[in-house]
Amino acid sequence: MPVEGGKTDMERIGLFSEMEYVTVGDKYVSAFNRPFNEAASKNKQMLPGGSKEMSNLQAGYFDPHFVRIFEGEGYVSLNQVRRRHMMDEAKKNLGKAFLPSSGDKKLCGLGSYYGTLGGPVPFFSAQSKPREKYEAPGKNLYTNPGKKGTGYGYANITIGKQLTHSADFYDAPKLNYKKENEEHHRLVKGAPFKLNLYPREYFDTNPYSSEKPLPPIKKTEKKELLSHPFKPSSPGKKAGGMKAGTFDPYPSHSADPYVVKLANQISGKSAKIFHPPGGPKSRPIESIMTMNVKRALNMKNYKTASVQSF
């Protein structure tokens, strides 16, 4: 529809028609003053009655009255049952209760047998049992304590004796070589052997010179060349499905089913695995001090042996 200015809705906003106004004429109410549930303040509402808490009253349960587990069972008094049991046990007595002729005797001290029926027990006697005569064991191995020091720059701390110092001259190899050279020249007799009677010009002979006459020259034979190339009598056969181009005929088919051989069926030296023989093995070696300590402290005297003796 045309509006002010002479333009239609299509020309004004680019739509086919203008959207309808649903709330035309309604009063504006802000969201702050608008009620959350407007229907809650109108007409009657559902009142559940509030939550119930667990208590000794019947109102705390779902059932209207208390329901028993057993209905109509007989009442049993525990005191009555206890008295009946005592009466049944009293009927088993043959006579009156046993009363001693005199009152009970009181103990006069700890460990006293006064007032007992059996008297002293020999098993609990304080006397010592007879034992064998004690024989003192032999002396243990006495060793000196380890010597302190790192080993470098300290004397007399090793197991063996201290190495003695031997003087070594600075020019000892040179003097030894000089002595050996003089001894060698003393044993040599005369000057070195020299031969000056060689008759030829050169010191070494010519290995290629020979005084024998040369053999006659061999003549090379000329091969006759063929005038035309060689051609086979029949052309070569082409390979086909019947194997016509091979030299040998096609082998006949043999019905041999394929069976996988197991490992235990294969026999031969090549099938075995080579295992090299074991080489020499080292053995643990114990020190002399450890062996002596084991001899001195064994399973028979480890309780009686003292720590100071080691």
Side-chain angles (χ1 to χ4, degrees):
M1 56 183 293
V3 294
E4 295 179 2
K7 292 184 180 181
T8 60
D9 296 337
M10 177 72 73
E11 296 174 352
R12 186 161 54 87
I13 58 176
L15 301 175
F16 292 100
S17 62
E18 192 174 0
M19 301 297 294
E20 298 180 356
Y21 298 95
V22 181
T23 59
V24 175
D26 295 344
K27 294 181 180 181
Y28 174 74
V29 181
S30 64
F32 180 76
N33 296 327
R34 188 179 301 169
F36 174 72
N37 190 1
E38 189 175 358
S41 60
K42 298 178 181 179
N43 300 327
K44 294 182 178 180
Q45 307 297 325
M46 182 179 66
L47 300 177
S51 60
K52 297 181 181 180
E53 296 181 357
M54 192 73 174
S55 64
N56 293 332
L57 302 177
Q58 193 62 36
Y61 299 92
F62 292 99
D63 298 334
H65 62 280
F66 184 75
V67 181
R68 295 178 58 85
I69 300 175
F70 297 101
E71 293 288 344
E73 71 275 10
Y75 175 73
V76 178
S77 177
L78 295 178
N79 291 334
Q80 187 177 4
V81 174
R82 199 176 295 112
R83 289 192 187 107
R84 287 178 182 176
H85 178 70
M86 293 174 63
M87 293 171 63
D88 294 340
E89 293 293 330
K91 292 178 181 180
K92 298 179 182 180
N93 296 331
L94 299 177
K96 296 180 180 180
F98 171 75
L99 296 175
S101 58
S102 58
D104 53 343
K105 299 178 181 180
K106 297 182 180 180
L107 299 177
C108 62
L110 185 63
S112 175
Y113 294 94
Y114 179 76
T116 58
L117 300 175
V121 181
F123 182 78
F124 295 103
S125 176
Q127 295 180 1
S128 60
K129 297 180 181 180
R131 297 180 180 178
E132 297 179 358
K133 186 179 179 181
Y134 174 75
E135 294 181 2
K139 292 185 178 181
N140 294 327
L141 176 69
Y142 291 96
T143 58
N144 293 328
K147 298 179 182 180
K148 297 181 180 180
T150 59
Y152 181 78
Y154 292 86
N156 298 326
I157 61 172
T158 57
I159 299 175
K161 295 182 179 180
Q162 189 70 17
L163 298 177
T164 58
H165 176 69
S166 58
D168 188 9
F169 297 100
Y170 180 75
D171 293 335
K174 186 176 181 181
L175 297 175
N176 294 337
Y177 175 74
K178 186 177 180 180
K179 290 180 181 180
E180 292 177 358
N181 194 13
E182 291 176 356
E183 182 66 18
H184 170 69
H185 286 286
R186 187 182 66 79
L187 297 176
V188 172
K189 297 179 179 180
F193 176 75
K194 294 181 180 180
L195 183 62
N196 297 328
L197 302 176
Y198 201 76
R200 301 201 179 180
E201 183 180 0
Y202 300 101
F203 186 79
D204 295 333
T205 58
N206 187 5
Y208 300 101
S209 62
S210 178
E211 297 177 355
K212 296 180 180 180
L214 297 176
I217 299 173
K218 296 182 179 180
K219 295 181 180 180
T220 57
E221 298 180 355
K222 294 183 179 180
K223 297 182 179 180
E224 296 181 358
L225 299 176
L226 299 176
S227 59
H228 55 278
F230 171 75
K231 291 183 179 180
S233 60
S234 59
K237 299 178 181 179
K238 296 182 179 180
M242 58 179 177
K243 305 295 180 182
T246 57
F247 292 98
D248 299 331
Y250 187 74
S252 60
H253 176 69
S254 60
D256 187 8
Y258 176 75
V259 179
V260 179
K261 292 184 179 180
L262 301 177
N264 54 7
Q265 295 179 357
I266 301 173
S267 62
K269 295 183 179 179
S270 61
K272 295 182 180 179
I273 302 174
F274 172 73
H275 296 281
K281 299 180 180 179
S282 61
R283 297 183 179 179
I285 300 174
E286 295 183 354
S287 63
I288 300 175
M289 182 177 295
T290 306
M291 295 175 64
N292 292 333
V293 169
K294 285 186 177 180
R295 291 174 184 173
L297 183 65
N298 48 47
M299 59 184 295
K300 294 182 179 180
N301 64 348
Y302 75 97
K303 289 185 177 180
T304 58
S306 60
V307 182
Q308 298 179 358
S309 60
F310 293 101

